[in-house]
Amino acid sequence: MTILNAVLLSLLAGLATGVGGCIVAAMGELRMRMYDALLGFAAGVMTTIATLSLIHEALTRGGILATVAGLVVGAAALFALDRFLPHEHEHLPFVCNSHVDYRRGLMLMAAMTLHNVPEGLAIGTAYAAQPHLGLLLAIGIALHNIPEGIAVAGPFRACGMPARQYVGWSIASGMAEPLAALIGAVFVMQFSAVLPFSLAFAGGAMLYVVSDELIPESHSHGFEHEATIGFLSGFVLMLVLSYFIG
C-alpha cells in the first residue's frame, strides 16, 4: 500500500505539467513578466522542499556525512545527465515556423523530464520514510510542475505545433515521476539504511535545477523583481504547508 500510494501521489504531481500545457492552449501567449514570476515561484517551492524537508530529514536520520555525500552525488548526477543527454531531433510531423523555438522546446522538455526523475524519487523516498512528508512533497511538486508545463508548451506553440501535441508533450514530460517514485519507494523499503543518502540525493538534484536553470532563466528577460517575488511567494507557501502538514 505504501508503494502504491507513493506512485499515485507522484502520478498526480506529474500530471500537473499537463495543466500548464492546457493553460498555454487556453490563454495563448504568456506574458514574459508572468512567465518569469512563475519560474521564480517554482524555484522557491523547490528550494523549500530541498532544504527544509529533504535535506533536513536526511540530517536528522543520517548525520552530516551521509547528507553531504547524497547532496553532492545528486547534483553531480543531474549535471551529468544535463551535460550528456542529446536534446535535439530533426524530423518534424508539422510545419515549423521557428526551428529556434522548436529546439528550445525540446531542450526544455528534456530538462523537465530529467528534473522529474529526482522529483519522483523524492516523493517515493519521502513517502516510504514518512507519509506526511511524501504528501507535502507531492503538493509542492504539483504546484511547481504547472509552470514547468507552461515552459515546455510555450516554445512548441510558438513554432507552430498543434495544441493537442504540445499539451501531450507537456503531460509526457511529467510521466517520469511515477516510475521514479516506484523505484525510490521500493529501493528505500528494501534498503532502509540508504534512506538519508536518498533524501539528500533528491535534495541535491533539486538544488542543482534551481541554481542552474530556474533562477537564471527567470532573471534573463528583465523581470528580476517579479521573479524574486515569485520565488519568495513559493518559499513562503511551502513553509506554511510544511508547518501545517508536518
Side-chain angles (χ1 to χ4, degrees):
M1 184 61 71
T2 297
I3 294 174
L4 177 61
N5 288 340
V7 171
L8 289 176
L9 278 175
S10 186
L11 176 62
L12 292 174
L15 287 172
T17 56
V19 175
C22 290
I23 289 174
V24 172
M27 296 179 59
E29 185 176 356
L30 189 70
R31 292 182 180 274
M32 190 58 70
R33 184 187 303 272
M34 178 59 67
Y35 175 72
D36 287 345
L38 287 171
L39 285 180
F41 178 85
V45 166
M46 290 187 72
T47 300
T48 316
I49 291 172
T51 56
L52 299 186
S53 295
L54 294 173
I55 294 174
H56 177 267
E57 189 71 16
L59 278 170
T60 301
R61 289 174 174 266
I64 187 64
L65 290 179
T67 301
V68 170
L71 193 156
V72 170
V73 173
L78 259 290
F79 171 79
L81 286 172
D82 198 32
R83 175 68 176 81
F84 296 110
L85 184 75
H87 291 315
E88 297 186 19
H89 297 282
E90 294 182 358
H91 303 290
L92 304 182
F94 61 93
V95 177
C96 181
N97 299 325
S98 171
H99 288 277
V100 172
D101 283 322
Y102 180 72
R103 287 195 298 271
R104 182 178 294 120
L106 279 178
M107 292 181 67
L108 282 167
M109 186 181 70
M112 297 310 176
T113 302
L114 287 176
H115 302 166
N116 287 333
V117 171
E119 289 173 7
L121 286 171
I123 294 175
T125 300
Y127 195 91
Q130 293 185 19
H132 78 270
L133 180 56
L135 175 61
L136 175 66
L137 286 174
I139 293 172
I141 289 170
L143 290 172
H144 137 263
N145 276 350
I146 294 174
E148 279 197 355
I150 292 173
V152 170
F156 282 146
R157 182 185 186 279
C159 78
M161 181 181 288
R164 66 181 182 278
Q165 290 187 27
Y166 63 70
V167 171
W169 282 122
S170 66
I171 294 173
S173 70
M175 289 301 98
E177 288 198 12
L179 177 59
L182 174 63
I183 295 171
V186 170
F187 185 77
V188 168
M189 291 187 71
Q190 294 296 320
F191 306 98
S192 59
V194 302
L195 177 59
F197 179 89
S198 299
L199 290 168
F201 178 96
M206 286 188 176
L207 288 177
Y208 177 87
V209 171
V210 169
S211 178
D212 189 68
E213 297 199 22
L214 293 181
I215 290 179
E217 176 67 15
S218 69
H219 284 242
S220 64
H221 309 113
F223 300 108
E224 296 87 352
H225 294 307
E226 288 81 353
T228 300
I229 292 171
F231 179 93
L232 292 172
S233 299
F235 192 97
V236 169
L237 174 62
M238 292 312 301
L239 183 65
V240 172
L241 287 175
S242 176
Y243 176 81
F244 285 106
I245 293 178

